[in-house]
Amino acid sequence: MRKCLAAFSLLVAVDAGTCDDISDEQWFNNDITGWHCKTPSESIYCKCNYEYDHDWDDFDWTDTGSRRRRKSGWEYECEKEMEETCNLGCKHGRCSTPDSVCGSTWSTDPRSKTCAQVFSTAAHASTLQECEEVFGKYDAICPAAALPYKSWHNKMESGTEIENMVRAAALDTIWFYNKLRSMVVQHNKSAAPNELVTTAIQSHFATFRDFSCHRNIPECLSDRPEVSTCESSCNRVTTVIDGWLAKCRSYEPARPVSVNSTNSTTPAPAPNAADYNITCEELGYERDCDGTKGDEAGDYPGLCSAFQQQTQFLTVSGAGATGGSLLPLAAALGMAALFQ
């Protein structure tokens, strides 16, 4: 049985100290059975029902005459059944959990971690060497310039989580180097253009690094997932890859192009193609920075939301999608075992 609301019921600004106060604050004698924030640091469970009171008058008005109790001896009561102390605050009736609020302080600073710190075991030896070739021996993987924000509380309080996230960022950066080099297919033992597999990639190190850090260390802002920083760096990576592919194709030899059945033309050789017999492959999937590419993204949808939390608050369609692996980029290199 639920009490009908009177048309003149008012929202009353009171201290929500008891379940009846909360009921009155929302609507007079409203059924509020469930969890509620009693204070910013306390959550209470209220249960509402009717109780018969033989001492009730037929009519009982408040001091201001603004509302009337139900005529009869049935009294509507909301009582506290449980109470919790909320160390991280109370929102939407329940105590906030570490994965639903932003953190404030890193338990260990991810912005100082080097390759040697995240690839420290004998099993990591070959990856450590590769990491130091990309990042340098003493340089941080995700320096302050690449990581100017806070993450989620559960991420920031866990040294293991921090190490795993930084390690993943390093692996993803290495992945870009190896992926682009693999897109140069050499024919008849032709050498690959040295520029194409060295400086043309290395000159964009900071772009690859920043995106890898932003993607693997999710940003939290006002207890909500924030992806704009990651999406901007992700789009810069897309621009870099497009530019690299254009440079790669400048080394491809000219190939006949059929125009129609009676006429064909052979384009002029590409400007750098004289000494090389190579083919430049595509990336193999559509880079999906904002979660909107659907099937075109292949195994890597929602690049910037793959490791986010509370993704129900992301408004872009598809942004909550994640890749098929815990390491969608690095897993392509078979590196997932490094996290076991």
Side-chain angles (χ1 to χ4, degrees):
M1 180 178 181
R2 298 173 64 92
K3 186 167 182 352
C4 296
L5 300 178
F8 52 85
S9 293
L10 301 175
L11 288 174
V12 182
V14 297
D15 178 20
T18 68
C19 290
D20 276 329
D21 289 336
I22 294 172
S23 176
D24 287 350
E25 183 178 351
Q26 294 190 17
W27 287 100
F28 173 52
N29 280 0
N30 191 29
D31 184 355
I32 56 155
T33 298
W35 287 96
H36 299 271
C37 292
K38 176 182 177 182
T39 70
S41 61
E42 295 176 281
S43 175
I44 58 175
Y45 186 88
C46 300
K47 184 174 181 180
C48 301
N49 51 52
Y50 285 93
E51 295 180 358
Y52 194 79
D53 187 346
H54 294 278
D55 295 329
W56 265 35
D57 296 328
D58 285 348
F59 293 91
D60 186 5
W61 296 80
T62 65
D63 292 340
T64 60
S66 62
R67 63 192 185 192
R68 186 181 66 182
R69 285 181 176 171
R70 179 180 176 86
K71 180 181 178 181
S72 81
W74 288 99
E75 181 180 7
Y76 196 74
E77 291 285 351
C78 293
E79 298 179 350
K80 179 181 73 176
E81 290 202 340
M82 290 179 281
E83 183 170 2
E84 294 179 350
T85 299
C86 304
N87 295 326
L88 298 176
C90 183
K91 286 189 175 182
H92 310 297
R94 295 308 308 270
C95 290
S96 298
T97 56
D99 65 344
S100 67
V101 295
C102 298
S104 58
T105 305
W106 295 100
S107 61
T108 61
D109 193 352
R111 296 164 292 191
S112 63
K113 290 192 175 296
T114 65
C115 293
Q117 291 175 307
V118 299
F119 299 110
S120 57
T121 69
H124 293 158
S126 61
T127 309
L128 171 61
Q129 180 179 354
E130 199 170 12
C131 181
E132 291 181 343
E133 289 173 358
V134 172
F135 289 92
K137 193 167 185 178
Y138 304 107
D139 292 338
I141 293 168
C142 292
L147 201 62
Y149 53 78
K150 302 293 187 182
S151 189
W152 296 92
H153 189 279
N154 62 313
K155 302 288 188 183
M156 296 183 69
E157 72 174 351
S158 169
T160 300
E161 285 278 2
I162 292 169
E163 184 169 314
N164 284 341
M165 291 188 297
V166 176
R167 184 185 297 118
L171 291 172
D172 277 2
T173 307
I174 296 169
W175 182 89
F176 282 111
Y177 277 59
N178 291 336
K179 179 62 177 178
L180 293 183
R181 289 167 181 159
S182 74
M183 289 162 61
V184 183
V185 181
Q186 301 159 238
H187 302 288
N188 299 324
K189 298 182 180 180
S190 173
N194 185 65
E195 173 200 23
L196 201 57
V197 295
T198 56
T199 57
I201 299 174
Q202 294 163 357
S203 61
H204 300 294
F205 159 73
T207 300
F208 296 137
R209 177 204 65 195
D210 288 357
F211 165 63
S212 297
C213 294
H214 298 160
R215 162 181 157 78
N216 287 283
I217 306 177
E219 180 176 0
C220 180
L221 182 65
S222 300
D223 298 336
R224 294 289 187 271
E226 176 58 49
V227 295
S228 60
T229 301
C230 179
E231 288 178 359
S232 295
S233 61
C234 183
N235 289 328
R236 289 194 292 273
V237 168
T238 301
T239 300
V240 164
I241 292 176
D242 290 344
W244 182 90
L245 267 173
K247 180 179 286 293
C248 184
R249 289 182 178 127
S250 74
Y251 286 98
E252 288 183 322
R255 284 172 284 180
V257 178
S258 176
V259 177
N260 54 48
S261 59
T262 60
N263 185 29
S264 64
T265 182
T266 301
N272 301 316
D275 299 323
Y276 302 101
N277 185 11
I278 66 169
T279 302
C280 303
E281 293 186 338
E282 296 285 344
L283 186 61
Y285 64 95
E286 187 77 15
R287 283 182 51 76
D288 186 17
C289 295
D290 60 3
T292 61
K293 302 299 183 183
D295 292 341
E296 295 177 355
D299 292 333
Y300 313 118
L303 288 171
C304 284
S305 59
F307 304 118
Q308 265 294 359
Q309 298 177 174
Q310 304 297 317
T311 53
Q312 69 271 24
F313 295 111
L314 293 173
T315 57
V316 176
S317 176
T322 60
S325 166
L326 292 177
L327 291 172
L329 299 182
L333 295 177
M335 292 183 176
L338 296 176
F339 287 78
Q340 297 176 354

